[in-house]
């Protein structure tokens, strides 16, 4: 018996060592360590010169000197006809869920077509006066981040109208791990169009190749598309990329982007993730959350009160109410001590320590989770380990498929 107990201890030590090694092998990089697709002008300028160009862009579509892609193209005498803008708008002033109308860019006079709200997919008329689409958005690596859906709709429309697409690729700041349940077809929506896990571990260029190769178009069509991906030079998947600009108003820093895949599930519950504070997606809480029980050695108990502020001037969840919860910024800063994974313990803790269990989840949760199962698992008291075990088969299958489309080691 002692022999087996000893072997068990050794196995545990080896497992913990491997987890720690995986975390410690991560390296934080900045824009100075790589060259993004936008910088590879010798590779894409010949493809767009003399063409009428439609650009899919937002404030993250910048060069290292922070010159915007559209301004750069115009200065380079390229014929930019129009801009297609995703959620949050072209210049990034719109908030999550805010309606965005078509407009004209004040700086350049170029027409802006919104790809959010009812008009998620470009029409034939939108493409009538352009020859090629240049796509440059900064993703954050979570399935429910809507730039992935915008990519899928743009590719579908381009394939239907025989318009080539060029992706100017950028690193995935959460590209160092793959985790979470695979999206089920019945939960398909704009916050989840593709049958991929919550954390997919791919860049938008790699995902574009996967959409093309697997015919994963929003309307389930088999289409042919002229796709070119301009890759990032110097990027690897075990790098954590610190973005030079915030990709959307409520992801202002490294900590919020690192925690976003795990905390965004709270958007489908009564719990606030700090919208309307200076720390969105790094804190969570609720007026009736009992936060006296220890959560994590890096999770700090705190209180906060959401109020309308820039980036959350629309009435935030629990507006004006004192919320009790946790500050997780130290969790993100100590990433080297943890195994990279989608953390369910925050969600489970909040459910078990809030007295409103009946109304804890809302109708949006299953869309974010990508299935009806996760909510039921949490309600029935399943442990995090039991829930994670239910993902194994789907994750292993996805990882095999993912390998065929990777551009980076």
């Amino acid at each position: 018996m002692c022999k087996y107990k000893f072997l068990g201890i050794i196995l545990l030590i080896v497992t913990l060592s491997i987890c720690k090694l995986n975390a410690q092998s991560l390296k934080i990089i900045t824009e100075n360590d790589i060259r993004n697709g936008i910088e590879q002008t010798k590779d894409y300028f010949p493809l767009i010169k003399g063409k009428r160009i439609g650009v899919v862009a937002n404030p993250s579509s910048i060069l290292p000197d922070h010159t915007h892609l559209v301004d750069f193209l115009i200065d380079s005498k390229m014929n930019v006809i129009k801009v297609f803008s995703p959620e949050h708008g072209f210049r990034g002033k719109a908030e999550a869920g805010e309606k965005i109308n078509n407009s004209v860019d004040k700086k350049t006079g170029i027409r802006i077509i919104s790809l959010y709200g009812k008009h998620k997919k470009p029409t034939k008329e939108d493409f009538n006066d352009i020859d090629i689409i240049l796509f440059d958005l900064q993703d954050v690596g979570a399935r429910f981040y809507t730039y992935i859906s915008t990519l899928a709709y743009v590719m579908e429309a381009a394939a239907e109208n025989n318009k080539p697409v060029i992706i100017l690729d950028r690193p995935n700041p959460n590209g160092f791990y793959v985790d979470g349940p695979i999206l089920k077809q019945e939960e398909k929506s704009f916050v989840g169009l593709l049958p991929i896990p919550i954390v997919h571990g791919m860049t938008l260029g790699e995902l574009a190749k996967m959409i093309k190769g697997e015919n994963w178009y929003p309307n389930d069509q088999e289409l042919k598309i002229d796709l070119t991906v301009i890759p990032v030079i110097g990027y690897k998947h075990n790098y954590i990329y610190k973005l030079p600009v915030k990709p959307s108003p409520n992801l202002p820093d490294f900590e919020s982007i690192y925690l976003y895949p795990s905390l965004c599930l709270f958007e489908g519950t009564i719990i606030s993730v700090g919208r309307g504070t200076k720390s969105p997606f790094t804190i969570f809480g609720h007026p009736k959350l009992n936060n006296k029980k220890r959560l994590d050695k890096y999770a700090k108990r705190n209180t906060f009160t959401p109020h309308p502020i820039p980036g959350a001037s629309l009435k935030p969840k629990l507006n004006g109410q004192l919320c009790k919860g946790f500050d997780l910024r130290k969790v993100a800063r100590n990433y080297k001590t943890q195994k990279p994974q989608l953390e369910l313990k925050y969600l489970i803790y909040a459910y078990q320590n809030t007295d409103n269990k009946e109304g804890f989840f809302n109708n949006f949760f299953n869309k974010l989770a990508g299935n009806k199962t996760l909510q039921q698992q949490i309600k029935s008291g399943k442990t995090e380990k039991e829930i994670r075990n239910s993902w194994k088969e789907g994750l292993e299958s996805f990882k095999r498929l993912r390998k065929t489309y990777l551009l980076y080691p």
Side-chain angles (χ1 to χ4, degrees), residues 299-315:
K300 180 182 177 183
R301 292 184 183 88
N302 81 327
T303 59
F304 60 90
T305 304
H307 288 293
I309 60 173
S313 58
L314 302 175
K315 188 176 180 181

Side-chain angles (χ1 to χ4, degrees), residues 21-40:
L21 180 64
N22 288 340
Q24 289 182 334
S25 67
L26 299 176
K27 174 185 176 183
I28 287 187
I29 62 167
T30 68
E31 59 183 334
N32 298 322
D33 300 305
I34 55 166
R35 292 188 65 200
N36 283 311
I38 189 176
E39 299 174 68
Q40 317 305 323

Side-chain angles (χ1 to χ4, degrees), residues 56 115 120-122 127 133 135 147-167 194 204-219 221 223-229:
V56 184
L115 296 182
K120 296 179 178 68
K121 177 181 173 180
F127 281 173
I133 297 104
F135 190 106
Y147 298 166
I148 297 173
S149 298
T150 296
L151 171 66
Y153 276 117
V154 167
M155 287 181 63
E156 183 176 70
E160 290 170 343
N161 291 280
N162 298 311
K163 306 292 182 181
V165 174
I166 301 173
I167 310 289
L194 308 180
L204 286 186
E206 292 169 330
L207 277 170
K209 288 181 60 185
M210 183 178 275
I211 291 168
K212 175 184 177 179
E214 301 301 315
N215 274 295
W216 280 350
Y217 296 102
N219 292 303
Q221 312 176 71
L223 298 168
K224 291 184 178 180
I225 185 171
D226 182 348
L227 175 70
T228 302
V229 178

Side-chain angles (χ1 to χ4, degrees), residues 230-301:
I230 309 298
V232 185
I233 293 176
Y235 172 66
K236 296 180 180 179
H237 276 290
N238 66 335
Y239 290 168
I240 300 179
Y241 182 49
K242 292 191 79 169
L243 304 187
V245 294
K246 49 187 182 180
S248 51
N250 279 287
L251 292 179
D253 49 32
F254 159 73
E255 290 84 1
S256 59
I257 291 168
Y258 180 89
L259 293 163
Y260 174 76
S262 299
L263 294 192
C264 190
L265 289 169
F266 278 128
E267 299 276 63
T269 73
I270 60 173
I271 302 294
S272 167
V273 290
R275 290 185 187 272
T277 75
K278 293 181 179 180
S279 308
F281 287 102
T282 59
I283 57 179
F284 72 89
H286 187 273
K288 295 185 177 179
L289 175 64
N290 180 357
N291 67 343
K292 292 181 180 180
K293 184 180 176 183
R294 188 171 184 266
L295 170 58
D296 181 279
K297 67 178 178 178
Y298 296 122
K300 180 182 177 183
R301 292 184 183 88

Side-chain angles (χ1 to χ4, degrees), residues 57-125:
N58 70 357
S60 69
S61 313
I62 58 169
L63 286 154
D65 65 359
H66 284 221
T67 299
H68 194 279
L69 171 63
V70 171
D71 301 327
F72 174 60
L73 293 172
I74 292 171
D75 290 344
S76 302
K77 310 303 180 187
M78 297 296 171
N79 187 19
V80 179
I81 298 296
K82 65 182 63 168
V83 171
F84 296 94
S85 68
E87 184 180 6
H88 307 297
F90 172 49
R91 296 291 180 185
K93 302 297 184 183
E95 298 164 19
E98 183 179 346
K99 183 180 178 182
I100 305 172
N101 296 315
N102 295 345
S103 60
V104 173
D105 181 42
K106 291 180 181 179
K107 184 175 182 179
T108 62
I110 292 173
R111 189 175 169 212
I112 301 172
I113 307 296
S114 172
L115 296 182
Y116 191 64
K118 293 182 179 180
H119 188 67
K120 296 179 178 68
K121 177 181 173 180
T123 63
K124 183 177 181 180
E125 290 71 28

